[in-house]
């Protein structure tokens, strides 16, 4: 589903070059659950941003479903993101003045789609928040807010869910619950890629990728 070939990412600050990724080769198959681990500054976020088409490799090839997206226009990249990829971040990024239902519906609004109320209600039920649909974010726990973020990530029927430290702001109990939710999504066919510092959770994925100094170990 996703293939990186000799991918590099170089950031330039004036005359200085920072090599965040160095010759990354990586295959992610349809329906896999992949975890990515490594110390701070290892290149995990740079890798996830490229996998999610939020950024392009400076060099190398990046394919999604066999299509090289490394040279696509921003408009085309946005289309790939909207159709194929759902994002879950460490920060929940919920709109404080909107209800759970309204927050989950936002991607449909941004895509100028009619709000599918039945589908949104089903996603909210699936993540275990059926009785919280009308609640505002400040009425929810951290674990509940992350569940809302996961439901929002699924609303446009992505094939791939990219989770960047999805348990980073949660206690151990809620971290476990969010991981089990991701595992349940994997069980019904989603491809999951999760960046995490939690080695215990990472080890329970199908495949654990360790990255250091911009290289896969």
């Amino acid at each position: 589903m996703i293939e990186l070939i000799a991918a590099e990412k170089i950031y330039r600050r004036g005359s200085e070059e920072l090599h965040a990724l160095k010759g990354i080769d990586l295959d992610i198959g349809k329906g896999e659950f992949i975890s990515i681990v490594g110390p701070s500054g290892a290149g995990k976020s740079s890798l996830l941003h490229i996998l999610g088409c939020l950024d392009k490799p400076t060099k190398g090839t990046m394919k999604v479903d066999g299509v090289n997206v490394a040279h696509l226009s921003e408009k085309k990249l946005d289309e790939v993101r909207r159709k194929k990829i759902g994002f879950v971040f460490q920060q929940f990024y919920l709109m404080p003045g909107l209800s759970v239902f309204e927050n989950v519906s936002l991607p449909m609004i941004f895509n100028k789609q009619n709000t599918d109320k039945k589908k949104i209600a089903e996603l909210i039920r699936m993540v275990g928040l059926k009785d919280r649909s009308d609640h505002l974010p400040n009425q929810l726990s951290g674990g509940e807010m992350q569940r809302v973020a996961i439901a929002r990530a699924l609303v446009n029927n992505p094939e791939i869910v990219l989770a960047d430290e999805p348990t980073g702001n949660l206690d151990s109990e809620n971290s476990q619950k969010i991981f089990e939710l991701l595992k349940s999504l994997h069980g019904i066919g989603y491809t999951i890629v999760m960046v995490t510092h939690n080695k215990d959770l990472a080890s329970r994925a199908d495949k654990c990728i360790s990255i250091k100094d911009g290289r896969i170990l």
Side-chain angles (χ1 to χ4, degrees):
M1 177 162 283
I2 299 179
E3 184 180 13
L4 287 178
I5 304 170
E8 299 186 14
K9 184 61 186 179
I10 302 171
Y11 297 101
R12 292 181 172 85
R13 298 171 183 164
S15 60
E16 181 185 6
E17 288 188 347
L18 173 62
H19 290 251
L21 298 176
K22 305 169 184 175
I24 297 289
D25 294 315
L26 179 62
D27 291 325
I28 298 174
K30 184 176 177 62
E32 284 192 304
F33 191 141
I34 307 294
S35 63
I36 301 173
V37 298
S40 296
K44 302 186 301 298
S45 291
S46 294
L47 177 57
L48 200 71
H49 287 174
I50 287 175
L51 293 175
C53 298
L54 294 170
D55 202 354
K56 298 179 183 180
T58 308
K59 299 178 182 178
T61 299
M62 160 72 174
K63 293 182 179 180
V64 178
D65 279 347
V67 176
N68 187 357
V69 300
H71 304 295
L72 291 182
S73 67
E74 183 56 37
K75 183 177 180 180
K76 291 290 187 181
L77 275 179
D78 182 58
E79 188 175 329
V80 173
R81 287 193 294 266
R82 286 189 289 107
K83 290 184 176 180
K84 293 186 176 293
I85 303 168
F87 297 93
V88 180
F89 301 99
Q90 180 176 351
Q91 305 295 334
F92 314 123
Y93 295 122
L94 302 182
M95 298 296 289
L98 300 183
S99 68
V100 167
F101 186 95
E102 291 166 334
N103 267 286
V104 174
S105 70
L106 281 177
M108 286 184 169
I109 295 171
F110 292 150
N111 287 337
K112 299 178 181 178
Q113 298 174 333
N114 292 327
T115 301
D116 188 335
K117 294 183 178 181
K118 184 176 179 180
K119 178 180 180 180
I120 293 168
E122 173 58 23
L123 285 171
I124 292 170
R125 184 203 63 78
M126 187 173 74
V127 300
L129 294 176
K130 180 180 178 181
D131 297 329
R132 297 283 194 272
S133 185
D134 294 328
H135 286 55
L136 297 174
N138 65 6
Q139 298 173 300
L140 305 176
S141 68
E144 289 171 335
M145 285 192 283
Q146 191 61 290
R147 288 173 178 270
V148 177
I150 290 172
R152 181 185 59 197
L154 301 178
V155 78
N156 281 335
N157 297 320
E159 298 175 58
I160 307 161
V161 175
L162 301 184
D164 191 1
E165 294 286 358
T167 64
N169 284 334
L170 305 177
D171 59 28
S172 57
E173 181 180 354
N174 278 302
S175 294
Q176 180 65 35
K177 289 179 179 178
I178 292 300
F179 180 79
E180 292 300 332
L181 177 55
L182 292 174
K183 284 289 286 184
S184 71
L185 296 176
H186 170 240
I188 59 175
Y190 286 95
T191 302
I192 310 288
V193 181
M194 176 182 71
V195 166
T196 182
H197 278 98
N198 189 319
K199 292 184 178 179
D200 174 57
L201 297 183
S203 67
R204 293 159 59 188
D206 292 342
K207 185 189 300 180
C208 182
I209 306 290
S210 182
I211 186 170
K212 184 178 181 181
D213 296 330
R215 300 183 188 277
I216 290 178
L217 308 178

